[in-house]
Amino acid sequence: MWNRRKEEETPRPASPLPTPVAPMEGMPVSTTPTGYQGARSTATIGENVLIAGQIFAKEDLVIDGQIDGTIELLENKLTIGKAARVKATIKAREVIIHGTVHGNVEASDKIDLRRDAHLVGDIRAARIAIEDGAIFKGSIDVTKVEVPKAAPRPTTSAAPAATPAPAATPAHPQQAMAAGAGENKR
Amino acid sequence: MSPSAAEGTIRPSAGLEQYFQQLQGRPTLRLLDLSPVSQANVSFLAGLGHRLYCEDFLSSLDDFFGGDDDFYQAQENPTRAQEFMNLTFRQLKGPFHGALVWDCLQYLSPTMLELTVTELHRLLEPESALLAFFHNDERAKTVPASFYRIQDYRTLNIQERGHRTPYQFFTNPFIERVFHDFSSVKMYLTRDHLREILIKR
């Protein structure tokens, strides 16, 4: 009896409870990869995650948390969730925005502003889709964007920066723009 | 006019036609659109190769001054009015070759109207065009505020976004006085109590 009770009181090994990530700059922040089955995986940055710095990814990324810095997914799709609050310069193949973004957004393929989107910044993409209800303030440049091939980087989905990047830096000049896309067709 | 309840009213617009005629032959223009961003306007204007700057002026006005009874009174506070101007216009990367102001100017107090027109004059290049709408019904206490979606060079889709009380009625001489710094003002009457005004900078 005594022994049994003692056994019951023995603390069990702690289960891996989700712990909120402290907003510490330069600290690695793990993401939750999903969709292992498919050829293209998607990483998710959860609602309780705050990242200050640079994010480079070579897989699709869904952001529901708070980001302050730069985001580059040159060959992949970025989805900004409804709860997300992003203050960043964004470059990606495709960007879908449901949440709040402050910063310039550039996509080599498409930018999709959904009805809950709130975007303040300049956008540039080959195609732009806007749902009624989306709030947008900034300039729109529909042009063919040639995004340079991503340089070899670690295969982790979200690589923290050694030093935090400024909140919204201007677009990199090496983003080559296709000329002749802006002619009056009349 | 062909009304269709959910999708708005599609009608020809002489003002819009003249606006595009004035901009004709000038490639890759920078245009300012003071209505909420819409797929129709972005597709049409970007399709012509123009760069568009969107600013939902009316919503910004409501957010800043509140949409209640004190709306116009709050606009008359010179400090607040200037603050709004700085927030709304000072960050715009002008100059612009054209502005689509739609019906926004009707909901401004005299102080705000003067400041806004001055800012538009500053932001627009010489020879550029500005399109503004004013309701024509002098007796109406409230007028429909609308979304204006460009269908083609001479056609608009007008979708109501509620009724609002304008600060004042804009007569033709008054409109000319408001835009006295601009080089010309042309007016086009429509059947739906909306005067379309094309102003040349």
Side-chain angles (χ1 to χ4, degrees):
Chain A
M1 197 67 178
W2 239 88
N3 286 341
R4 195 176 170 188
R5 185 170 287 177
K6 204 169 186 179
E7 273 174 22
E8 283 172 356
E9 286 170 355
T10 308
R12 292 178 184 177
S15 58
L17 288 171
T19 50
V21 178
M24 292 176 69
E25 296 174 348
M27 280 282 288
V29 177
S30 65
T31 60
T32 310
T34 56
Y36 290 114
Q37 307 89 342
R40 169 170 288 167
S41 59
T42 302
T44 303
I45 295 176
E47 229 172 289
N48 296 320
V49 178
L50 186 154
I51 297 175
Q54 295 172 299
I55 296 175
F56 299 97
K58 286 187 128 183
E59 61 186 35
D60 293 351
L61 176 63
V62 176
I63 296 174
D64 286 317
Q66 196 173 327
I67 311 292
D68 197 338
T70 61
I71 304 167
E72 283 194 24
L73 289 74
L74 300 181
E75 294 167 355
N76 295 87
K77 181 170 81 176
L78 171 68
T79 305
I80 310 281
K82 275 186 188 178
R85 301 184 74 80
V86 174
K87 193 174 177 187
T89 300
I90 296 171
K91 287 179 187 174
R93 177 180 55 80
E94 183 180 347
V95 182
I96 300 171
I97 301 175
H98 297 271
T100 302
V101 177
H102 283 247
N104 297 343
V105 182
E106 194 169 308
S108 56
D109 183 16
K110 187 181 181 186
I111 295 172
D112 204 339
L113 296 185
R114 299 294 171 84
R115 70 175 65 173
D116 297 311
H118 188 151
L119 170 60
V120 179
D122 298 339
I123 61 176
R124 174 180 286 175
R127 294 183 295 151
I128 291 172
I130 299 159
E131 268 187 17
D132 278 354
I135 298 170
F136 171 70
K137 177 174 180 163
S139 72
I140 297 177
D141 208 354
V142 180
T143 182
K144 188 167 169 54
V145 180
E146 286 174 11
V147 176
K149 283 275 181 186
R153 289 186 189 283
T155 51
T156 49
S157 57
T163 52
T169 51
H172 292 279
Q174 68 263 32
Q175 290 287 333
M177 302 301 305
E183 279 196 347
N184 194 334
K185 292 175 182 169
R186 289 210 299 176
Chain B
M1 220 182 276
S2 59
S4 82
E7 292 166 356
T9 301
I10 294 173
R11 69 155 176 81
S13 166
L16 188 70
E17 189 176 1
Q18 292 302 313
Y19 177 82
F20 284 117
Q21 273 193 14
Q22 197 157 317
L23 300 178
Q24 195 172 15
R26 301 169 69 183
T28 322
L29 302 179
R30 294 166 56 83
L31 304 177
L32 176 64
D33 185 351
L34 294 189
S35 69
V37 64
S38 73
Q39 184 71 62
N41 292 9
V42 170
S43 295
F44 185 78
L45 297 169
L48 297 174
H50 302 322
R51 189 173 187 183
L52 187 62
Y53 193 97
C54 297
E55 162 69 53
D56 185 356
F57 186 78
L58 219 44
S59 294
S60 298
L61 206 61
D62 286 341
D63 289 345
F64 196 86
F65 294 107
D68 53 17
D69 294 341
D70 297 333
F71 180 61
Y72 290 117
Q73 199 181 329
Q75 288 184 35
E76 281 299 285
N77 179 331
T79 311
R80 294 272 292 156
Q82 195 55 58
E83 198 181 334
F84 177 79
M85 286 294 128
N86 293 341
L87 278 172
T88 308
F89 289 117
R90 291 289 163 170
Q91 59 183 299
L92 294 184
K93 296 163 196 139
F96 293 96
H97 303 98
L100 295 160
V101 175
W102 308 116
D103 59 4
C104 297
L105 300 179
Q106 296 176 116
Y107 311 109
L108 298 176
S109 71
T111 301
M112 280 290 291
L113 179 65
E114 191 181 339
L115 287 172
T116 303
V117 172
T118 304
E119 281 298 323
L120 289 169
H121 188 271
R122 183 185 66 81
L123 285 166
L124 288 168
E125 277 200 341
E127 302 294 312
S128 58
L130 184 152
L131 184 65
F133 292 170
F134 296 94
H135 282 87
N136 207 17
D137 188 354
E138 197 170 356
R139 289 167 299 178
K141 286 188 176 170
T142 62
V143 296
S146 302
F147 297 115
Y148 298 92
R149 309 272 159 84
I150 302 170
Q151 305 297 294
D152 60 38
Y153 292 107
R154 57 184 69 85
T155 313
L156 277 177
N157 180 349
I158 301 176
Q159 293 177 22
E160 213 174 285
R161 62 190 292 199
H163 277 65
R164 300 178 71 104
T165 308
Y167 183 86
Q168 61 197 321
F169 177 72
F170 285 75
T171 60
N172 289 351
F174 181 64
I175 290 169
E176 284 173 350
R177 274 205 305 279
V178 166
F179 293 102
H180 71 275
D181 282 339
F182 289 73
S183 66
S184 75
V185 178
K186 285 182 186 171
M187 300 177 186
Y188 303 90
L189 283 176
T190 65
R191 290 181 187 174
D192 53 359
H193 295 296
L194 200 64
R195 265 172 305 166
E196 301 182 353
I197 314 293
L198 181 70
I199 299 118
K200 189 175 173 185
R201 163 74 161 85

